[in-house]
Amino acid sequence: MALKADLSHFLDEEGNELELTEQAKAVFKFLTKIVSSVSENIEQPLIDVDLKCNTRAEGLSCEGDIEAMCIAIGIIEWHCDTCEASGSISNWQESMWDKQERTIH
Ligand SMILES: [Zn+2]
């Protein structure tokens, strides 16, 4: 089951984190970690994110590692190297977790 996440759903108009439930917070932390790792290494085809699958949600026991890549402009896809868990993240660009170097004009 793929988790389709839109980062903007977790943020208010200024780009700050909304009041989230504990469960949503865990997901949000997971997603933003992927976003910062991928955007830091955007030129790499596949990025090993320093995250375990079980940090996705409480009660998960999968010890797999998360791998992610930017598949298209503005779309990150991630998957667990052990189980079926996977997902995509959109609307992360320009957020505070977007670590891409910006050209200053
Ligand atoms: Zn897993």
Side-chain angles (χ1 to χ4, degrees):
M1 193 184 68
L3 176 75
K4 273 199 180 168
D6 180 336
L7 207 64
S8 67
H9 290 170
F10 294 87
L11 303 173
D12 67 17
E13 280 156 23
E14 270 102 58
N16 296 309
E17 192 178 332
L18 292 171
E19 290 273 331
L20 301 169
T21 62
E22 285 304 306
Q23 201 189 357
K25 258 188 199 152
V27 174
F28 183 68
K29 264 185 81 178
F30 179 83
L31 298 174
T32 51
K33 174 77 183 170
I34 295 174
V35 168
S36 43
S37 302
V38 171
S39 56
E40 246 170 17
N41 302 288
I42 201 86
E43 71 287 347
Q44 289 182 29
L46 186 67
I47 295 109
D48 280 314
V49 184
D50 184 22
L51 272 180
K52 292 285 179 208
C53 187
N54 60 17
T55 49
R56 212 156 32 98
E58 196 110 342
L60 285 176
S61 58
C62 178
E63 293 278 314
D65 290 306
I66 299 301
E67 294 175 338
M69 67 194 114
C70 189
I71 57 152
I73 294 172
I75 309 282
I76 291 172
E77 254 187 19
W78 60 268
H79 63 267
C80 173
D81 68 357
T82 305
C83 76
E84 302 281 280
S86 67
S88 61
I89 309 169
S90 58
N91 281 328
W92 53 271
Q93 286 177 309
E94 318 268 299
S95 74
M96 61 181 98
W97 300 274
D98 180 357
K99 309 282 187 204
Q100 291 178 88
E101 304 221 345
R102 292 198 185 81
T103 320
I104 297 152
H105 294 284

